Amino acid sequence: MNAPETLYTRTGDGLHIAYQVVGSGPIDIVYVPNWASPVDLMWEEHRYAHFLSCLASFSRLILFDKRGSGASDPVPLGALPTLEEWSDDIRAVMDTVGSERAAILGVTGGSIMAAIFAAVHPERTAALVLVGGAAQPGRVWAKFAGGENPAASFEANWGRATLADIMAPGEDAAFATWFVRFCRLGNPPKPATAVFAAQRQTDLGAVLPIITAPTLVVHRTDDPFIPVEQGRYLAAQIPGARYVELPGRTHLPFLGDADALLREIETFLTGSHTPADVDRVLRTILFTDIVNSTARLAEVGDRRWRELLDAHDTAVRRAVEQFRGTVVNTTGDGFLVAFDGPARAIRCAAAIVSSARSLGMEVRAGLHTGECEVRGDDLAGIAVHIGARIGALAGAGEVLVTSTVRDLVAGSGIAFADRGQHELKGVPGTWQVLAVEA
């Protein structure tokens, strides 16, 4: 098959995302590759072209370069995209091609992005397929980048034949030449290393149980790059996931017995699945509260206090709109706000604290990312309770988060200070709490 035309769409924040569409089957598949997989070069390797063509034979296959890679717009070196920004790229491409619901196929490092999208956007995820994926990349990468500075070791080896030897042992020199060029044009060394460093800190353990889409996890028994235990863990943590373990000692899905892998995917996606009710979603919950409001009211009087409250409410709603959150409820002197990504939620909380201070008020904020129950326009569940408890721990002008939030914003540039382990009233266990540093 000839390479399809590469087109562009734009995200909500104005970045150009390169994408391709091939095939006209009855289902849509969004293919989410690793961070360095330029769509224009996929078709140059005949086995990769065969793999994609087979997918397109029973679907409308949607390919794209995530922001900062391939033919899509670059991002500033010090501003690595967050997981929710990369998930936005999927949504932007789906909107452009008119795909309301699609099967999300995440391969190797793309499994992280695919799983996040399925948890945050269950209404747009018809099914989820994870191939050669990892939920805890930090346990994987250390194996290949040891020493005192793993990131420096990774950077020094990026775009060299040693990478091909690790992922696809036994392939010939011609393949290695193509593969290292594929990686180099997907991401130069610095951005690739930044993603590597961020993924070492990522842990999807809190996200996987929230996924409601029918899920297939496929892993090769002797995968030389991501150990099979990671595939088993993914399947064990996603409710109702089907797990298939295939023989093979190559990491790249289009090599080895790719046809066996394709048969599993086609059988799973073309079968009959009853869509799950969208009553559980992954959300980042933000609670804000004005500190010492009673004392402030006594100080300025009723009329002036009402003016300050109105100005504060306006500033909060403006910040929520800017960072694409949703005001779920008001709570006395504060707000309950939901976001589909934790980095935006943190930045919104910081903006609210800052705007309140300019009005002579002090606001505290708490955030948690977790499973929420959808009840009409309201949200409920343990994640909401945890967010409220974290907010109650915060001091004036402080933004506190759980370690779950911290683990999902790796690479965002947001810094945290440890505030220790805390018991949260009505919530089992102890929770690590961190403060967002200005």
Side-chain angles (χ1 to χ4, degrees):
M1 178 180 289
N2 294 325
E5 182 182 8
T6 299
L7 302 170
Y8 280 97
T9 186
R10 297 186 73 170
T11 63
D13 49 4
L15 291 180
H16 293 85
I17 302 298
Y19 72 93
Q20 298 175 347
V21 178
V22 58
S24 57
I27 62 172
D28 287 349
I29 296 177
V30 178
Y31 183 78
V32 187
N34 209 340
W35 70 87
S37 296
V39 290
D40 289 316
L41 269 68
M42 292 177 178
W43 302 93
E44 290 187 3
E45 216 294 328
H46 67 95
R47 286 167 294 184
Y48 209 158
H50 169 76
F51 184 82
L52 298 176
S53 298
C54 288
L55 290 173
S57 70
F58 63 88
S59 74
R60 182 171 68 145
L61 181 64
I62 302 164
L63 309 168
F64 71 103
D65 286 340
K66 62 194 68 170
R67 65 181 67 193
S69 68
S72 291
D73 277 347
V75 296
L77 188 56
L80 187 71
T82 59
L83 289 171
E84 69 253 36
E85 286 173 331
W86 270 335
S87 292
D88 284 346
D89 297 346
I90 296 178
R91 187 167 57 177
V93 172
M94 287 179 66
D95 288 345
T96 297
V97 303
S99 178
E100 291 296 324
R101 282 170 58 85
I104 310 299
L105 170 55
V107 299
T108 182
S111 60
I112 298 173
M113 186 173 167
I116 290 285
F117 184 87
V120 173
H121 300 291
E123 78 287 355
R124 304 201 67 172
T125 306
L128 176 66
V129 179
L130 304 176
V131 178
Q136 301 157 317
R139 300 186 181 184
V140 176
W141 302 157
K143 178 180 177 182
F144 302 104
E148 295 182 0
N149 193 337
S153 176
F154 181 90
E155 183 177 339
N157 285 285
W158 181 252
R160 299 178 62 185
T162 50
L163 192 60
D165 292 339
I166 291 172
M167 291 192 177
E171 290 294 326
D172 59 21
F175 173 81
T177 298
W178 171 82
F179 184 68
V180 297
R181 177 170 167 263
F182 182 78
C183 293
R184 287 196 305 267
L185 296 182
N187 258 160
K190 284 289 185 185
T193 304
V195 176
F196 159 80
Q199 288 197 346
R200 290 184 70 221
Q201 304 172 53
T202 300
D203 189 336
L204 295 183
V207 173
L208 301 177
I210 300 169
I211 294 172
T212 57
T215 301
L216 170 67
V217 178
V218 186
H219 216 99
R220 286 171 171 152
T221 304
D222 297 308
D223 188 319
F225 190 61
I226 297 183
V228 70
E229 289 76 17
Q230 285 288 320
R232 295 168 183 168
Y233 177 82
L234 282 170
Q237 296 301 307
I238 299 174
R242 179 169 183 249
Y243 179 63
V244 175
E245 196 167 300
L246 297 175
R249 56 185 298 268
T250 183
H251 174 65
L252 301 175
F254 55 88
L255 299 181
D257 191 356
D259 288 340
L261 176 57
L262 287 161
R263 282 194 297 272
E264 294 292 343
I265 296 172
E266 182 176 7
T267 299
F268 181 77
L269 292 182
T270 59
S272 175
H273 298 284
T274 302
D277 291 336
V278 181
D279 58 0
R280 297 190 302 150
V281 293
L282 181 71
R283 289 291 182 266
T284 297
I285 299 300
L286 165 63
F287 276 89
T288 69
D289 184 47
I290 299 174
V291 179
N292 295 328
S293 57
T294 303
R296 187 75 171 124
L297 167 60
E299 177 186 343
V300 302
D302 289 343
R303 180 174 179 179
R304 177 56 181 158
W305 181 243
R306 173 48 55 194
E307 292 174 348
L308 288 172
L309 281 181
D310 289 345
H312 173 63
D313 288 358
T314 299
V316 170
R317 293 182 185 278
R318 185 183 301 119
V320 169
E321 181 179 0
Q322 177 186 353
F323 292 99
R324 293 167 45 196
T326 301
V327 174
V328 177
N329 218 327
T330 55
T331 56
D333 292 328
F335 285 80
L336 164 57
V337 187
F339 296 83
D340 60 10
R344 281 194 292 269
I346 291 172
R347 290 171 178 136
C348 183
I352 291 171
V353 168
S354 177
S355 66
R357 188 165 291 143
S358 70
L359 294 170
M361 298 175 172
E362 289 289 351
V363 167
R364 60 185 177 182
L367 299 100
H368 176 62
T369 301
E371 175 185 1
C372 295
E373 301 172 18
V374 179
R375 295 181 177 177
D377 294 331
D378 201 2
L379 294 176
I382 191 68
V384 177
H385 291 289
I386 293 171
R389 300 290 183 262
I390 297 298
L393 293 174
E398 195 169 41
V399 179
L400 296 184
V401 306
T402 60
S403 58
T404 306
V405 175
R406 185 268 319 276
D407 292 344
L408 294 175
V409 298
S412 66
I414 299 172
F416 301 93
D418 190 6
R419 290 291 187 265
Q421 299 286 331
H422 293 261
E423 292 185 357
L424 307 178
K425 184 179 179 181
V427 180
T430 59
W431 291 78
Q432 184 183 9
V433 177
L434 305 104
V436 177
E437 294 188 322

